[in-house]
């Protein structure tokens, strides 16, 4: 049980975490801070938080556990604002989608080293919607949360963050930060970049006005994630640039291969690629069901 929780960044993930913990009875009072007054007002109105701080330092002043839930490139600024307000013994964690950059940025904000009381985390749950108004109390139920411990990690702080996520119905997995970034570049960061690029390419075609009204369910499924926050995904792709660029180069190579197979009328090979991809996706579905 956490007596006092503070959420810094009252958006989809911060709001959903506050609501999950409240409905699980795992938290006493919740304070919050967001530089956008509309998010603070909505969070108060929806009962997501009990008190909105006048600053990040004010919001965290009484907190036993502080959750940074800001776009990843705002980590340095958010952490710098939080540190002066922390009480002795407070634990700070985050929910950012990239982990090496967050650990680097926390070290920068804290004088060069990641403090023992910081725990880096990433819930593998979300939606293409942003903002506290879209937060959901059951968002993390049945989902994974990755924790990426660092060299100075305090084990009691890690155990507290693990208990917090388990109270939301999530399953916590530990992983090295570099491995996390390589994996999520593949399963999440590259797919978002491809979805944005694909929709943008269609939107620049001369006959785009005929394209979108005629799109069906396949187009909707394939492009759903292009409705995600461009600001958040700009930050994620920039923060994990090396891993995403490496995979993007492989993807471009594979697309060029498909293009040359088509040009050479080598249709059996095209079909073979489709079959291999379908089998891989079915193996993935069998694993998660
Ligand atoms: N949305 C998802 O599907 C998802 C899933 C897993 C992890 N994440 C991660 O969660 C984090 C938050 O994402 P979200 O979807 O809740 O975004 P969001 O846009 O809904 O909320 C982010 C909030 O942070 C606030 N903010 C920006 N700078 C700040 C600062 N310096 N101090 C305090 N608040 C600040 C913004 O005003 C905004 O309200 C990101 O790091 C993202 O990578 C998102």
């Amino acid at each position: 049980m956490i007596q006092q929780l503070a959420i810094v960044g009252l958006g989809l993930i911060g709001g959903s975490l506050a609501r999950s913990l409240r409905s699980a009875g795992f938290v006493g009072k919740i304070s919050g801070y967001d530089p956008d007054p509309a998010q603070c007002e909505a969070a108060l109105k929806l009962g997501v938080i009990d008190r909105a701080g006048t600053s990040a330092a004010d919001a965290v002043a009484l907190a036993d556990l502080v959750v940074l839930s800001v776009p990843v490139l705002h980590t340095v600024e958010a952490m710098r604002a939080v540190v002066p307000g922390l009480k002795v013994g407070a634990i700070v964690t985050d929910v950012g989608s990239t982990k090496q950059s967050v650990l680097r940025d926390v070290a920068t904000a804290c004088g060069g080293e990641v403090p023992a009381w910081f725990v880096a985390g990433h819930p593998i749950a979300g939606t293409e919607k942003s903002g506290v108004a879209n937060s959901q109390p059951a968002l993390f139920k049945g989902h994974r949360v990755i924790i990426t411990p660092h060299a100075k990690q305090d084990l009691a702080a890690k155990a507290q963050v693990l208990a917090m996520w388990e109270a939301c119905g999530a399953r916590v997995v530990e992983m090295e930060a570099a491995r996390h970034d390589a994996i999520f570049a593949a399963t999440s960061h590259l797919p978002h970049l491809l979805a944005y690029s694909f929709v943008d390419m269609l939107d620049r075609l001369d006959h785009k006005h005929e394209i979108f009204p005629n799109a069906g369910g396949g187009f909707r499924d394939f492009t759903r994630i292009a409705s995600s926050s461009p600001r958040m995904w700009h930050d994620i792709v920039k923060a994990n640039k090396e891993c995403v660029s490496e995979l993007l180069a492989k993807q471009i190579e594979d697309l060029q291969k498909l293009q040359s197979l088509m040009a050479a009328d080598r249709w059996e090979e095209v079909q073979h690629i489709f079959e291999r991809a379908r089998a891989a996706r079915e193996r993935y579905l069998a694993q998660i069901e």
Side-chain angles (χ1 to χ4, degrees):
M1 167 99 185
I2 304 159
Q3 295 304 329
Q4 295 270 350
L5 174 78
I7 304 280
V8 176
L10 292 165
L12 175 82
I13 299 294
S16 298
L17 180 57
R19 295 174 89 160
S20 305
L21 292 171
R22 208 195 280 284
S23 65
F26 194 77
V27 66
K29 292 279 180 210
I30 309 179
S31 55
Y33 173 73
D34 198 292
D36 177 356
Q39 297 304 318
C40 290
E41 270 169 43
L44 282 168
K45 205 166 148 203
L46 292 165
V48 171
I49 56 170
D50 303 301
R51 182 178 80 86
T54 52
S55 65
D58 174 49
V60 305
L62 299 174
D64 306 298
L65 182 59
V66 176
V67 181
L68 296 187
S69 185
V70 303
V72 283
L73 293 186
H74 289 248
T75 305
V76 174
E77 146 203 334
M79 193 68 180
R80 279 194 175 132
V82 157
V83 168
L86 290 175
K87 70 176 190 185
V88 176
I91 296 167
V92 181
T93 187
D94 84 305
V95 297
S97 304
T98 59
K99 296 283 45 110
Q100 292 178 105
S101 79
V102 164
L103 287 169
R104 258 192 323 264
D105 290 351
V106 167
T108 302
C110 297
E113 225 174 47
V114 183
W117 41 262
F118 181 80
V119 184
H122 175 205
I124 313 306
T127 76
E128 69 280 16
K129 306 243 166 61
S130 301
V132 73
N134 291 302
S135 62
Q136 301 167 23
L139 188 67
F140 309 111
K141 206 173 179 148
H143 288 266
R144 280 179 165 223
V145 172
I146 315 288
I147 285 184
T148 60
H150 55 89
K152 301 271 165 168
Q153 188 71 75
D154 177 64
L155 296 183
K158 190 177 77 178
Q160 176 69 280
V161 172
L162 189 144
M164 174 189 83
W165 285 115
E166 284 183 348
C168 301
R171 188 160 61 86
V172 176
V173 176
E174 280 188 32
M175 201 181 278
E176 207 244 315
R179 187 161 177 73
H180 167 281
D181 288 356
I183 289 172
F184 288 92
T187 58
S188 174
H189 310 168
L190 180 67
H192 278 82
L193 182 136
L194 294 177
Y196 283 126
S197 169
F198 174 66
V199 177
D200 182 56
M201 181 273 290
L202 295 187
D203 192 46
R204 284 181 289 107
L205 295 177
D206 291 340
H207 57 304
K208 69 176 181 188
H209 299 297
E210 285 172 89
I211 289 182
F212 294 114
N214 285 302
F219 175 82
R220 209 183 163 84
D221 288 351
F222 187 68
T223 60
R224 177 183 63 81
I225 54 178
S227 290
S228 306
S229 158
R231 173 188 173 188
M232 188 177 98
W233 283 96
H234 155 274
D235 275 24
I236 292 170
V237 171
K238 188 171 171 191
N240 199 19
K241 178 178 146 183
E242 285 76 20
C243 294
V244 178
S245 298
E246 200 181 313
L247 284 172
L248 180 61
K250 283 191 203 300
Q251 184 69 73
I252 291 169
E253 224 175 79
D254 276 20
L255 288 173
Q256 282 169 339
K257 166 112 190 277
L258 267 174
Q259 191 179 37
S260 39
L261 290 175
M262 287 165 67
D265 281 325
R266 288 160 63 183
W267 297 104
E268 273 184 25
E269 287 163 78
V270 171
Q271 186 174 330
H272 178 65
I273 292 170
F274 292 174
E275 276 165 3
R276 208 167 53 202
R278 184 175 71 165
R281 188 164 192 278
E282 275 169 7
R283 279 198 305 277
Y284 151 74
L285 289 177
Q287 272 170 17
I288 59 166
E289 272 160 8

